[in-house]
Amino acid sequence: MVALDSKEDALERGEVAPDFELQGTDGETHSLDDFADHEAVLLVFTCNHCPYAKAKFDELNALASEYDEVAVVGINPNDAEEYPEDSFETMVEYVEDGRVAYDAYLRDESQAVATAYGAACTPDPFLLENSAASETPREAGGDGAADGADEFRLTYHGRLDDATNPDDEPTEREMKAIIDRLLAGEAIDDEFKPSRGCSIKWKDD
């Protein structure tokens, strides 16, 4: 098991998030546009087998259940030929038995999406804000949707909580606090705190 920290310069804050079309465990193909009715998307590169990723299943499940305005989306990019537990079939099994209860769990078979985001480890979380929602404040009488296509931008990239090892118990739900402030309309300028996990299992070229 090789532990690795996420990279600070993966995406720049405010940068438009790369779109994707990925197969989900629900049998559907999903893109960012599918979550346009949410104020934010917590996009997490994760997997089935890594102890660091498994240690965050419960926290991600909790965030998915606590917010209607935020979609929690897991993306598994790992090489399933070398790591069979990371297969799509096992992803479906984890969803069906309740171990994973995100809004969507997607398979990045080509690893192109992980590459586009600059993801390095599992888990590697990216909090994306729906710029259409932020441009049309609800308190001003808008419905949270601006004219034209919705666009997600990176608002924060960093760890979920302060438990950096699989056996640690977190004392702060750091991502939840950032999400709460984002939904309250506050500016997010938090210092980068890297996530730690197993290195993404890249395919050989």
Side-chain angles (χ1 to χ4, degrees):
M1 181 175 67
V2 179
L4 191 69
D5 286 349
S6 56
K7 299 182 294 186
E8 183 172 5
D9 59 352
L11 282 182
E12 295 293 333
R13 184 169 294 173
E15 188 175 344
V16 175
D19 201 0
F20 51 78
E21 288 189 0
L22 297 175
Q23 182 182 13
T25 54
D26 58 359
E28 302 293 330
T29 299
H30 294 274
S31 69
L32 272 177
D33 284 346
D34 291 349
F35 307 102
D37 57 346
H38 293 76
E39 293 186 34
V41 170
L42 178 58
L43 192 70
V44 185
F45 292 90
T46 184
C47 69
N48 303 327
H49 90 276
C50 167
Y52 291 88
K54 288 182 173 181
K56 303 306 180 188
F57 283 177
D58 287 347
E59 176 62 9
L60 290 172
N61 292 343
L63 291 170
S65 68
E66 288 167 359
Y67 296 100
D68 293 330
E69 313 97 319
V70 181
V72 175
V73 178
I75 295 180
N76 175 11
N78 274 0
D79 181 354
E81 288 191 13
E82 292 294 325
Y83 296 85
E85 192 177 344
D86 284 330
S87 69
F88 182 75
E89 291 75 19
T90 305
M91 292 170 59
V92 173
E93 177 186 325
Y94 277 27
V95 170
E96 289 180 345
D97 69 18
R99 272 178 281 186
V100 167
Y102 316 150
D103 294 283
Y105 194 19
L106 313 179
R107 176 68 179 149
D108 183 14
E109 181 67 32
S110 72
Q111 303 185 322
V113 181
T115 299
Y117 276 80
C121 58
T122 54
D124 199 347
F126 294 77
L127 182 61
L128 313 177
E129 182 178 11
N130 186 338
S131 59
S134 65
E135 289 167 5
T136 311
R138 285 170 169 76
E139 57 268 30
D143 62 2
D147 292 335
D150 294 334
E151 192 172 72
F152 285 94
R153 294 179 178 270
L154 180 70
T155 193
Y156 181 71
H157 172 221
R159 67 194 189 189
L160 296 169
D161 55 42
D162 62 349
T164 55
N165 294 301
D167 295 331
D168 294 346
E169 288 294 327
T171 62
E172 290 186 58
R173 299 179 70 191
E174 295 169 332
M175 187 64 76
K176 174 176 168 46
I178 291 171
I179 289 172
D180 287 340
R181 287 168 31 227
L182 178 67
L183 296 178
E186 299 180 24
I188 305 302
D189 57 2
D190 299 62
E191 180 182 349
F192 171 71
K193 294 180 180 178
S195 182
R196 177 171 295 169
C198 302
S199 58
I200 289 177
K201 308 310 180 190
W202 300 104
K203 298 178 181 180
D204 294 332
D205 294 333

PDB file of all heavy atoms in Angstrom, residues 68-80:
ATOM      1  N   ASP A  68     -29.654  18.026   0.254  1.00  0.00           N
ATOM      2  CA  ASP A  68     -30.386  17.927  -1.001  1.00  0.00           C
ATOM      3  C   ASP A  68     -29.752  18.804  -2.072  1.00  0.00           C
ATOM      4  O   ASP A  68     -29.897  18.552  -3.273  1.00  0.00           O
ATOM      5  CB  ASP A  68     -31.846  18.345  -0.812  1.00  0.00           C
ATOM      6  CG  ASP A  68     -32.619  17.371   0.063  1.00  0.00           C
ATOM      7  OD1 ASP A  68     -32.287  16.169   0.055  1.00  0.00           O
ATOM      8  OD2 ASP A  68     -33.549  17.820   0.764  1.00  0.00           O
ATOM      9  N   GLU A  69     -29.040  19.855  -1.638  1.00  0.00           N
ATOM     10  CA  GLU A  69     -28.493  20.841  -2.575  1.00  0.00           C
ATOM     11  C   GLU A  69     -27.146  20.431  -3.137  1.00  0.00           C
ATOM     12  O   GLU A  69     -26.629  21.066  -4.053  1.00  0.00           O
ATOM     13  CB  GLU A  69     -28.330  22.200  -1.873  1.00  0.00           C
ATOM     14  CG  GLU A  69     -29.537  22.659  -1.071  1.00  0.00           C
ATOM     15  CD  GLU A  69     -29.377  22.315   0.410  1.00  0.00           C
ATOM     16  OE1 GLU A  69     -28.889  21.196   0.704  1.00  0.00           O
ATOM     17  OE2 GLU A  69     -29.726  23.158   1.255  1.00  0.00           O
ATOM     18  N   VAL A  70     -26.545  19.394  -2.545  1.00  0.00           N
ATOM     19  CA  VAL A  70     -25.201  18.974  -2.947  1.00  0.00           C
ATOM     20  C   VAL A  70     -25.247  17.512  -3.370  1.00  0.00           C
ATOM     21  O   VAL A  70     -25.738  16.658  -2.629  1.00  0.00           O
ATOM     22  CB  VAL A  70     -24.203  19.148  -1.789  1.00  0.00           C
ATOM     23  CG1 VAL A  70     -22.793  18.715  -2.234  1.00  0.00           C
ATOM     24  CG2 VAL A  70     -24.186  20.587  -1.302  1.00  0.00           C
ATOM     25  N   ALA A  71     -24.735  17.218  -4.554  1.00  0.00           N
ATOM     26  CA  ALA A  71     -24.633  15.837  -5.028  1.00  0.00           C
ATOM     27  C   ALA A  71     -23.250  15.300  -4.685  1.00  0.00           C
ATOM     28  O   ALA A  71     -22.240  15.948  -4.956  1.00  0.00           O
ATOM     29  CB  ALA A  71     -24.863  15.767  -6.535  1.00  0.00           C
ATOM     30  N   VAL A  72     -23.223  14.133  -4.068  1.00  0.00           N
ATOM     31  CA  VAL A  72     -21.959  13.457  -3.776  1.00  0.00           C
ATOM     32  C   VAL A  72     -21.746  12.395  -4.850  1.00  0.00           C
ATOM     33  O   VAL A  72     -22.550  11.471  -4.991  1.00  0.00           O
ATOM     34  CB  VAL A  72     -21.971  12.824  -2.375  1.00  0.00           C
ATOM     35  CG1 VAL A  72     -20.692  12.017  -2.141  1.00  0.00           C
ATOM     36  CG2 VAL A  72     -22.123  13.906  -1.307  1.00  0.00           C
ATOM     37  N   VAL A  73     -20.682  12.568  -5.618  1.00  0.00           N
ATOM     38  CA  VAL A  73     -20.424  11.699  -6.770  1.00  0.00           C
ATOM     39  C   VAL A  73     -19.056  11.049  -6.607  1.00  0.00           C
ATOM     40  O   VAL A  73     -18.030  11.740  -6.540  1.00  0.00           O
ATOM     41  CB  VAL A  73     -20.467  12.501  -8.085  1.00  0.00           C
ATOM     42  CG1 VAL A  73     -20.158  11.608  -9.273  1.00  0.00           C
ATOM     43  CG2 VAL A  73     -21.831  13.170  -8.249  1.00  0.00           C
ATOM     44  N   GLY A  74     -19.027   9.728  -6.529  1.00  0.00           N
ATOM     45  CA  GLY A  74     -17.774   8.996  -6.474  1.00  0.00           C
ATOM     46  C   GLY A  74     -17.371   8.549  -7.871  1.00  0.00           C
ATOM     47  O   GLY A  74     -18.220   8.147  -8.670  1.00  0.00           O
ATOM     48  N   ILE A  75     -16.081   8.640  -8.163  1.00  0.00           N
ATOM     49  CA  ILE A  75     -15.542   8.170  -9.438  1.00  0.00           C
ATOM     50  C   ILE A  75     -14.390   7.215  -9.144  1.00  0.00           C
ATOM     51  O   ILE A  75     -13.434   7.582  -8.461  1.00  0.00           O
ATOM     52  CB  ILE A  75     -15.044   9.336 -10.318  1.00  0.00           C
ATOM     53  CG1 ILE A  75     -16.217  10.245 -10.724  1.00  0.00           C
ATOM     54  CG2 ILE A  75     -14.336   8.810 -11.557  1.00  0.00           C
ATOM     55  CD1 ILE A  75     -15.808  11.419 -11.598  1.00  0.00           C
ATOM     56  N   ASN A  76     -14.492   6.001  -9.664  1.00  0.00           N
ATOM     57  CA  ASN A  76     -13.451   4.996  -9.480  1.00  0.00           C
ATOM     58  C   ASN A  76     -12.634   4.870 -10.766  1.00  0.00           C
ATOM     59  O   ASN A  76     -13.127   4.334 -11.764  1.00  0.00           O
ATOM     60  CB  ASN A  76     -14.091   3.655  -9.119  1.00  0.00           C
ATOM     61  CG  ASN A  76     -13.084   2.523  -9.026  1.00  0.00           C
ATOM     62  OD1 ASN A  76     -11.879   2.740  -9.034  1.00  0.00           O
ATOM     63  ND2 ASN A  76     -13.585   1.305  -8.936  1.00  0.00           N
ATOM     64  N   PRO A  77     -11.353   5.329 -10.748  1.00  0.00           N
ATOM     65  CA  PRO A  77     -10.523   5.269 -11.949  1.00  0.00           C
ATOM     66  C   PRO A  77      -9.508   4.125 -11.953  1.00  0.00           C
ATOM     67  O   PRO A  77      -8.720   4.009 -12.881  1.00  0.00           O
ATOM     68  CB  PRO A  77      -9.778   6.607 -11.888  1.00  0.00           C
ATOM     69  CG  PRO A  77      -9.540   6.794 -10.411  1.00  0.00           C
ATOM     70  CD  PRO A  77     -10.724   6.148  -9.696  1.00  0.00           C
ATOM     71  N   ASN A  78      -9.476   3.306 -10.912  1.00  0.00           N
ATOM     72  CA  ASN A  78      -8.373   2.352 -10.758  1.00  0.00           C
ATOM     73  C   ASN A  78      -8.367   1.249 -11.818  1.00  0.00           C
ATOM     74  O   ASN A  78      -9.415   0.860 -12.342  1.00  0.00           O
ATOM     75  CB  ASN A  78      -8.414   1.711  -9.370  1.00  0.00           C
ATOM     76  CG  ASN A  78      -7.703   2.546  -8.330  1.00  0.00           C
ATOM     77  OD1 ASN A  78      -7.171   3.612  -8.616  1.00  0.00           O
ATOM     78  ND2 ASN A  78      -7.684   2.071  -7.093  1.00  0.00           N
ATOM     79  N   ASP A  79      -7.178   0.747 -12.097  1.00  0.00           N
ATOM     80  CA  ASP A  79      -6.974  -0.353 -13.032  1.00  0.00           C
ATOM     81  C   ASP A  79      -7.540  -1.625 -12.410  1.00  0.00           C
ATOM     82  O   ASP A  79      -6.948  -2.207 -11.498  1.00  0.00           O
ATOM     83  CB  ASP A  79      -5.481  -0.505 -13.306  1.00  0.00           C
ATOM     84  CG  ASP A  79      -5.162  -1.618 -14.288  1.00  0.00           C
ATOM     85  OD1 ASP A  79      -6.088  -2.358 -14.687  1.00  0.00           O
ATOM     86  OD2 ASP A  79      -3.982  -1.754 -14.659  1.00  0.00           O
ATOM     87  N   ALA A  80      -8.703  -2.060 -12.903  1.00  0.00           N
ATOM     88  CA  ALA A  80      -9.376  -3.215 -12.313  1.00  0.00           C
ATOM     89  C   ALA A  80      -8.759  -4.544 -12.738  1.00  0.00           C
ATOM     90  O   ALA A  80      -9.004  -5.567 -12.097  1.00  0.00           O
ATOM     91  CB  ALA A  80     -10.859  -3.201 -12.671  1.00  0.00           C
TER      92      ALA A  80
END
